[in-house]
Amino acid sequence: MPEFYPPTTEKDIELAFGQIKPYMNPTMAHYESSRCLFCYEAPCVKACPTGIDIPLFIRQINTGNVDGAAKTIYNSNYFGNICGKVCPTEVLCEGACVFNHQDVKPIEIGRLQSFATHHVIETEKNLFRLPPNNGKKVAIIGAGPAGISCACELRQLGFEVEVFEAKKHPTGLAIYGCAPYKVTNEDVLDEMVWLQGQFGFEVLYNHKIETAEQIKGLEASYDAIFLGIGLGETRSLDIPGQDLENCVGATEFIEQVKINPLKTRVGKKVVVIGGGNTAMDAASESARLGAEEVVLVYRRPKENMGAYGFEYELAKSAGVKGIFCAVPVAIIGNGQVEGARFIKTKTENGRVAMEKGSEFDIACDTVILATGQEKMTGFLSLIEGLEWNKDGSIKVNAETFQTTNPKYFAGGDAVNGGAEVVNAAAEGKQAARRMDAFLNKA
Amino acid sequence: MPNLAANLAGIRSPNPFWLASAPPTNSGYQVMKAFDAGWGGAVWKTLGVPVINTSSRYGAIHYRSNRMVGFNNIELITDRPLADNLREIEEVKKYFPNHAVIASLMVETKKEWHQIVKDVENAGADGVELNFGCPHGMCERGMGSAVGQEPSVLETITRWVKEVATVPVIVKLTPNITDITEPAAAAALGGADAISLINTIQSIVGVDLDNFAPYPIVDGQSTNGGYCGPAVKPIALNMVKNCAQHPKVGIPISGIGGIENWRDAVEHLLLGATNVQVCTAVMHYGFGIIREMISGLENYMQEKGFEKLDDFIGKALPNVKTWENLNLKYKVVAEINAEKCIGCQLCYTACEDGAHQAISLPGNGSRIPAIIEENCVGCNLCSLVCPVEECITMVRKDDGKEHETWKDYMAADKAPTQFNDDRAGGKGHWVPEPAAALKQ
């Protein structure tokens, strides 16, 4: 008996995508916050890309100063609630909790963080006071975690900020990519509304910047521009059969699941190709949407997967099966996907070699390619003097996030090649401070 | 099996665990239930002229996730008519003839004392306890701690009671006094057969930050209460010890204050209590805790080879000295077990900010601190803050051959006497330069 059936109602969706880190109630938060040791120079803080003073906010929760706790969090990370839910805490703050060394359950830092931030969002609490405008204007391209963090920080520094977003909704992959059992769209958008209320920046939606003319226009009207453009579509594999119906990119598939889960149809047997966290999400989500069988195929051994161990475990718990050391050579079918052909591999000296004559087919009606995303080099080439690395990531000064065109700063996936929400949030914020230093230097 | 039977000045009970005079002994129903659960005795909620109580009576200190580590009440003595209480005492004694039922009493005049002592004896009480301890409400009316704070009045009333009592008389003392041994000695002088201590400590348990009134709030206002619960045990232990060691007291002690488990009880006994009384822990967890207390006590006695309570009552007393008699040559130093250390560095920051800067951090990526032995004064602080069982231990460093106390130092003129004396204990002990604090 399968765990999940194809959902037909909103209620089914809620059940299929039950939150793995639901909000704590005040009693839970009290007991959990009581356990924190208040470590000296706490390892959890060092493990957090945004350096949130975790022992402090936990102590604030424990003493009934939940607003103060939220302020502590937002002082370091504008995506406090979202990060509390979607951060890979197992390998960040909670993984660093000293309790692990005595096999004591680490403090549930992520959930405590969401408890505090959700409280101020829900009660529409005002935590920040803005300085008068400093007379300078910054344009931000991309309303993802990097762009929005940058916008919030710039507003705190007195800049006027406008954000240009190609899509209909803000927060980028937080809404279009994060697994629905980690955070709900409602939570994501609520935090965004709260942030806009606090910091008062403009976001222009459905406003794609794509021409040299538009770019010239921005350059003329703004003192600086931040690029938080993220990544593009799923990278093509260059194998026959990719164009068959029901062979889809993971990014596109997940976006569909996130925005319109009831209209997302997965087949009965799904093959997901890839070994990163996106592959795990696509596989998990397929299973939760009622696929009878979901097979994950990765070209190297299991240990080499880019995905976190707990993400693979999560996928397995939803019924996903893993096949390792195999690469696709063709998607088979006639108009529609009917299967995928793989060849076994051997990894020698880090290089993947195909084993001749070891081809095998897996019958399936859906193939999801989780083979990475394209870089936005086409867009980048429109900006004068802007350079990118061999892998397509924007070249920046590692400390200042300034690009090779001094008017432009950049952060997030477009710079780091694709990381977590928390990394983008950290980079956007830091970039804002450096823009301020650059624009307001004596 | 060790024998848990207790005998306080002739009052026998199957074990040393009594319920103290308080809400859990307000009625025959409760006392009967407690005996059935395994309690050895009960001191009935104080009898006298019944009172009228306030609504909202208790307040508490919670420490993080732990509820009621300290507890406070403004409740008075019984608010039930004497006849009802006497009838219930009689009934309890019928069901439990071998359990101790003690009547706690608080009245004003000699005549009232004489009458009520006779009444409770007729009802079958095995002893009486004179409540000279209540530090709230009743003391405003010249009773309770108002008596306990006046040794001569305490002695006089004790004598009145002894004039008529045929059962043992226990005097319950208030800790709201500078030297507990004065009223204790007065009780002995007045003929008391035993003393019990401590009653609650005058307290304000907390303040409502929104309504600007202390807890417990009675229509926007409050009054001081009596403090008890786990937090008061150290005060109780010290007072029990003081009475047990004092030559002018010399009568058995019923230990009260912060007793919640077998360990607390054993501590009271080791410091000279003959039995113990419990209230707050029962108000928190119910009568069922007695199972743990009895099992723990039995296990302890078995392990130590004690057959009866007398084998260890007062056993720690010879080891409680005045400070001047402690060996200044004894030297312990902290030792961190790196295998167990979780790297919280609470020991580091505690020693650095709160003690003697005797712990260093490795600074090589490891989080395991190290003891700077020459700076360590052996204060124990690091081992107390360490959250891991047996991770930081205090290891003896002297060879045990030397024994010199402050008294010896004084006699041999080795003690510092001048402000800048070369013999100062901390002279030459390394401390960082003040400005080094700002460099971090």
Side-chain angles (χ1 to χ4, degrees), chain B residues 365-383:
Chain B
S366 159
R367 297 232 355 135
I368 301 174
I371 303 294
I372 307 166
E373 224 183 282
E374 52 274 33
N375 290 353
C376 178
V377 301
C379 73
N380 297 346
L381 180 62
C382 55
S383 70

Side-chain angles (χ1 to χ4, degrees), chain A residues 258-431:
Chain A
K258 290 282 295 189
I259 301 305
N260 213 336
L262 276 177
K263 289 217 173 124
T264 309
R265 283 280 164 263
V266 292
K268 287 190 171 167
K269 183 160 179 184
V270 179
V271 168
V272 179
I273 297 167
N277 290 319
T278 306
M280 302 304 135
D281 284 352
S284 273
E285 288 163 33
S286 301
R288 286 164 192 267
L289 286 171
E292 282 169 20
E293 207 179 337
V294 181
V295 181
L296 186 81
V297 187
Y298 178 54
R299 65 202 164 106
R300 292 172 190 263
K302 187 163 109 178
E303 311 75 73
N304 295 114
M305 282 200 297
Y308 298 118
F310 59 85
E311 294 286 12
Y312 180 54
E313 291 303 317
L314 196 64
K316 278 202 298 186
S317 75
V320 174
K321 292 184 192 96
I323 290 178
F324 300 96
C325 300
V327 288
V329 288
I331 313 295
I332 314 160
N334 189 4
Q336 300 249 343
V337 168
E338 286 163 16
R341 178 158 302 154
F342 294 88
I343 186 164
K344 292 182 183 170
T345 67
K346 259 194 180 158
T347 306
E348 280 162 353
N349 303 324
R351 288 195 156 269
V352 178
M354 298 186 198
E355 286 189 67
K356 262 194 185 154
S358 69
E359 286 91 345
F360 65 97
D361 291 352
I362 301 177
C364 62
D365 51 23
T366 307
V367 171
I368 300 174
L369 302 174
T371 45
Q373 286 172 267
E374 299 279 4
K375 301 296 191 304
M376 308 276 272
T377 49
F379 168 77
L380 296 178
S381 64
L382 301 175
I383 301 168
E384 209 174 300
L386 193 108
E387 293 172 21
W388 55 89
N389 298 305
K390 255 191 215 153
D391 66 357
S393 58
I394 303 172
K395 230 182 227 181
V396 295
N397 177 314
E399 267 177 40
T400 64
F401 293 94
Q402 195 166 27
T403 70
T404 48
N405 177 334
K407 202 176 175 89
Y408 287 83
F409 289 71
D413 282 359
V415 171
N416 62 35
E420 303 295 338
V421 172
V422 67
N423 301 99
E427 290 169 20
K429 182 178 166 82
Q430 276 179 50

Side-chain angles (χ1 to χ4, degrees), chain B residues 96-115:
Chain B
F96 293 96
N98 299 317
H99 286 59
V101 174
I102 317 305
S104 171
L105 306 175
M106 187 197 287
V107 288
E108 286 186 275
T109 64
K110 185 173 177 177
K111 198 174 150 202
E112 283 173 341
W113 280 107
H114 281 178
Q115 183 59 48

